Amino acid sequence: MLKNNKHILTVFALFLAICFVFSYVKANSEVINTEDKVNSQELTTNESNSDIMLINEQQGTKVTEVENNEDEQIKGAFDTSIVDGVYKYSENKLSSYLPFIRLATGRIIIDKEISKMGFNFSSQGIEVNAKTRGTQILFSSDTVRVNAPMESGIIFSNGNVIIDSNIERNTFVVSTGTITITENAKLSEDLLCICTNLELKGIVEGSVIGSIESANITGKINNDLRGTYNDITFSSNENVGKNIYVNTYNESLNIKDKYPNAILNVLEVTEVNQFSFARVLDMIFTSLIFALLYLLINRVSKKQAFEKALNKIKSNPIMVILSGSIMLLASIPVAFLLLMLSAFGLWMIAVPILLVYIVVLVIIYILMTFITGSIMYTYIKSKYLKEGGTGTDILGTFCMFLLLNVLVKIPLVGGYILLALYIIATGFTVTAIFSKEKNK
């Protein structure tokens, strides 16, 4: 089976990296509505004649004495526009020479020719219906359709990608759904892709290189087919012009009947022994370090830190589960919201908040065994081991941390236990910091 989770994480990391760079670009370009400016007639006497538009009421036309260069009005490194709704290029102005960024909560429709490099972010679909030059980078939460010629395309889609035109240079596509190269499509160079399914019906004059779950090749690849595939079907022995080199986890995959010279490298899924001698030693060492850390914190705080945290947690059990779940489930939406605020020019506030949020989640993940184990042992001690001393604390915490480390290493269920520990540790942390201790 392909490691699709790794692909998704890679795409998301690229997305965050690009957005993070954009967050430092304070590009607040203004969309000027000429009709509203004329009808408002709120022109002051201090305005220069070169900025005033004369209205010819008899002919119903507008004449500009000296037209301002709209490119000079753009602030920041990019020509940036953010729209709440559908964005159509034919209805909006675009810089004649600057690279551009377009963000829309609705669809983005490229319906006029573009000659500069651009970034398009849409929470819905993207349609390319006019010829584009330069590299176009498209991020979409839905289907991307390329219906017009492109010079070069880089496409990220949380849905399907349909290419129904010519692309002159290398094409890079990442899709969580199906990539379809229609009969009308012709890619002049290589296709590099990561997706669940590939339907190749058109022509790729270069090579197809990808990590794909299932590929159906009925079109033509003039050069090579390379990458990792679990399943491949061909319509004939002429679909691939040159070499085939495939890595696969599917031992039953057989394409030798149509391509006897194809090279198939069957990969083995190696099972890691979670309880090897080295790993057991590592768990013991980690548990001992955590036990000593627990003892140190308890002594410095005069046995108050964990007891106060436990009292808050016991008083707010629902808050523990809700806060832990919400903190993890909301991580991606919160990151997206903060990045959007950065694009609006609020990066001085949004970026620090985002960094703190990420750092807190990472620290909790690293210390989740310590956090959960410490609270659990404190509860057990307050219930059953009230007379215990330092030796009891060392032995008890060591056994608790070792038990948790063993549980997360159990095959099949260890991953679920790890997730549960992460949620509980996050809930414990939020509750201990932000809730108030009830008076006894």
Side-chain angles (χ1 to χ4, degrees), residues 24-213:
Y24 286 97
V25 180
K26 188 178 180 182
N28 298 324
S29 59
E30 301 174 357
V31 179
I32 300 174
N33 191 323
T34 307
E35 294 290 340
D36 291 341
K37 290 188 69 179
V38 172
N39 293 331
S40 66
Q41 295 183 355
E42 295 177 355
L43 302 176
T44 64
T45 57
N46 294 328
E47 290 179 308
S48 62
N49 291 332
S50 60
D51 295 327
I52 300 175
M53 299 189 69
L54 300 178
I55 302 176
N56 188 332
E57 296 180 352
Q58 295 180 351
Q59 298 180 0
T61 61
K62 291 181 277 290
V63 181
T64 305
E65 288 186 349
V66 179
E67 184 179 3
N68 289 333
N69 186 351
E70 65 184 50
D71 293 330
E72 295 178 355
Q73 300 175 1
I74 297 172
K75 302 175 183 178
F78 295 90
D79 173 9
T80 303
S81 180
I82 303 172
V83 175
D84 182 14
V86 177
Y87 183 91
K88 291 185 177 182
Y89 277 80
S90 61
E91 298 176 356
N92 295 274
K93 294 180 180 179
L94 189 65
S95 170
S96 61
Y97 64 90
L98 288 174
F100 61 88
I101 302 171
R102 293 295 181 265
L103 299 96
T105 59
R107 291 186 302 151
I108 292 180
I109 302 174
I110 302 176
D111 52 354
K112 76 174 183 180
E113 289 194 12
I114 295 173
S115 60
K116 295 299 176 183
M117 181 183 74
F119 300 83
N120 292 272
F121 298 84
S122 171
S123 60
Q124 296 184 18
I126 298 178
E127 296 182 18
V128 181
N129 297 328
K131 184 177 180 180
T132 61
R133 307 294 300 179
T135 301
Q136 302 303 317
I137 302 174
L138 313 177
F139 287 85
S140 172
S141 297
D142 205 336
T143 301
V144 175
R145 299 177 181 273
V146 180
N147 303 318
M150 296 182 69
E151 182 178 0
S152 179
I154 300 174
I155 303 171
F156 296 87
S157 171
N158 186 27
N160 300 325
V161 175
I162 301 171
I163 299 177
D164 190 39
S165 64
N166 299 337
I167 299 181
E168 298 177 13
R169 296 184 180 177
N170 292 326
T171 305
F172 179 74
V173 183
V174 176
S175 169
T176 59
T178 299
I179 298 175
T180 302
I181 312 298
T182 69
E183 296 89 341
N184 300 323
K186 180 180 178 182
L187 309 185
S188 299
E189 294 187 2
D190 297 335
L191 170 64
L192 298 92
C193 56
I194 299 172
C195 64
T196 304
N197 301 299
L198 173 65
E199 292 286 338
L200 201 160
K201 304 174 183 178
I203 299 174
V204 177
E205 294 190 349
S207 300
V208 173
I209 303 170
S211 180
I212 300 166
E213 186 71 25

Side-chain angles (χ1 to χ4, degrees), residues 275 283 400-411 414 417:
F275 297 99
M283 287 188 287
M400 179 61 69
F401 296 136
L402 185 60
L403 175 62
L404 293 177
N405 278 317
V406 170
L407 288 176
V408 299
K409 297 295 191 299
I410 297 175
I417 296 174

Side-chain angles (χ1 to χ4, degrees), residues 261-278:
N261 296 325
I263 298 175
L264 293 179
N265 181 26
V266 180
L267 305 174
E268 295 183 1
V269 180
T270 57
E271 296 184 0
V272 178
N273 183 6
Q274 299 288 356
F275 297 99
S276 64
F277 180 72

